[in-house]
Every structure is written in C-alpha cells, then in structure tokens.
Amino acid sequence: MFRFIQKLVVVVCAVLTPVAMNAQQATGTISGVVRELGTGKPLENARISVVGTNITTGTNADGTFTLRGVPAGTVEVRALALGHAPQKVTVSVGAAATARTEFSVAVAAVQLQQVVTTATGIQRKVEVGNDVAQINAREQVAEHPIANITDLLNAKAPGVQVLGGTMTGTGQRIRIRGQNSLSLDNAPIVIIDGIRMESA
C-alpha cells in the first residue's frame, strides 16, 4: 500500500511539473522607447503600463523602458507623459521572449489637466481617488493683484492656506488642511514640470 502511494505521488508530480513550467514561461518582456512626435526627442519619466494589470515602469533619461512579467499574448501598453497626449499600442508578447515597441506622443499642453503628478508618480486624473483642485492663473492675475506664487495660491483652493514666514526675509509657508503631522514636515510636496521642488 505504501509503495502504491509513493508511485501515485511520483505520477502526480510528473504530471504537474510540465504544467508548472508552462505557467512560469507564460510571461514575457516588453522593451521600447518613448519619443516626442515631430522632434524625435526621447522623453524621460514617462509612465508606461500594461492596461488591465499592475505592471508599470518609467522611462530612463534616453526614453527607453522595460516591462517584465508581462502575460504572454496580445496586450495593450499605454504611455503617459506630462504635457503630452496619452497613447496606446497593441503588442504581441511571446512566452519567455522580448517584444519591442515605440511610442511617438504628441505635445498637448491644452490637455495637461488630464495628467496629474502625485507623490507616487504621473497618473491620469480619472485614476486619482481624491479631488484635484485647479487654479486658472491667467484669470486670477487679470482679476486680482498677484505679486508672487503664494498670492496665487492663498484662499484659491479648498483647504490650502498660505502662512507668513517664521523669520524676516523667509518665504511663506503652504499648508494643506492645517497641521497634519506632529513630528514630520507639514509642507506639501511641490512638483513643477515633473520635477520635485524643495524650499532649500
């Protein structure tokens, strides 16, 4: 009886091993480059993702990217870049193979509101769970005396407060919904054109 059980276990393992190997080999890699349409300039820090999955990455300084662990088959890959229109391409991925693709994204400054830069990276506005306040700088400057960026922000968005500096000559402090931390810095993260700005 014991020998029969051993043989049964060996047969089951022999049957499952090819299945497990096939499951491991059912993924591939996608590599490529993101360029600006017209100029051919490579775009850095563009967000590349496989639609319908959590597989995502960013482009390097030369605009190149690599997506690993992509399910084999035909998938949609999306490129999001700040100041550019989003683009999707269809890619056929083979098991344990590398597929190549290229993006040529058009400049779309008027559609900038569709892409939001957050602490976790660039996301489409519809993917951000919280509300995104917008301030029209052109209208504010035309209607109110604006001397600097803090005048533009003060009392223009819900929950945003601009406080005076702690010392003479220092910049003003920006607070969102008051003091949120007892031990960490309460200043918000400021990102300009995809680059994080620090008060220092």
Side-chain angles (χ1 to χ4, degrees):
M1 181 66 180
F2 181 70
R3 287 184 178 180
F4 174 75
I5 294 174
Q6 280 184 323
K7 289 181 180 179
L8 181 62
V9 170
V10 171
V11 171
V12 171
C13 290
V15 171
L16 291 180
T17 300
V19 176
M21 290 176 63
N22 289 335
Q24 290 177 355
Q25 294 175 356
T27 61
T29 303
I30 299 176
S31 63
V33 62
V34 180
R35 300 184 186 277
E36 188 176 83
L37 183 64
T39 64
K41 179 180 70 174
L43 294 180
E44 184 180 5
N45 294 327
R47 182 185 178 198
I48 313 299
S49 59
V50 179
V51 177
T53 71
N54 293 325
I55 302 171
T56 182
T57 188
T59 55
N60 301 319
D62 58 355
T64 59
F65 66 90
T66 301
L67 292 164
R68 294 182 174 84
V70 180
T74 302
V75 296
E76 270 193 325
V77 182
R78 181 178 62 202
L80 291 175
L82 198 63
H84 297 77
Q87 186 182 23
K88 290 181 183 178
V89 296
T90 302
V91 182
S92 296
V93 184
T98 300
R100 284 198 55 82
T101 186
E102 291 189 6
F103 289 93
S104 295
V105 293
V107 176
V110 294
Q111 298 181 5
L112 191 60
Q113 70 274 11
Q114 294 182 2
V115 179
V116 180
T117 301
T118 66
T120 56
I122 299 175
Q123 294 176 285
R124 291 191 305 164
K125 185 177 177 181
V126 296
E127 295 174 345
V128 180
N130 53 303
D131 182 43
V132 178
Q134 297 183 2
I135 300 174
N136 191 319
R138 185 179 302 230
E139 292 181 0
Q140 294 297 328
V141 170
E143 297 175 0
H144 308 285
I146 304 295
N148 49 47
I149 190 68
T150 51
D151 289 345
L152 182 64
L153 296 176
N154 195 16
K156 301 299 189 304
V160 177
Q161 297 177 326
V162 180
L163 310 172
T166 55
M167 298 177 63
T168 304
T170 59
Q172 294 174 307
R173 297 169 297 159
I174 301 174
R175 295 290 179 268
I176 299 177
R177 300 184 185 90
Q179 305 286 344
N180 295 316
S181 175
L182 296 175
S183 58
L184 301 176
D185 187 10
N186 287 283
I189 297 173
V190 179
I191 299 175
I192 301 175
D193 291 337
I195 301 173
R196 179 169 174 170
M197 185 201 76
E198 296 183 357
S199 59

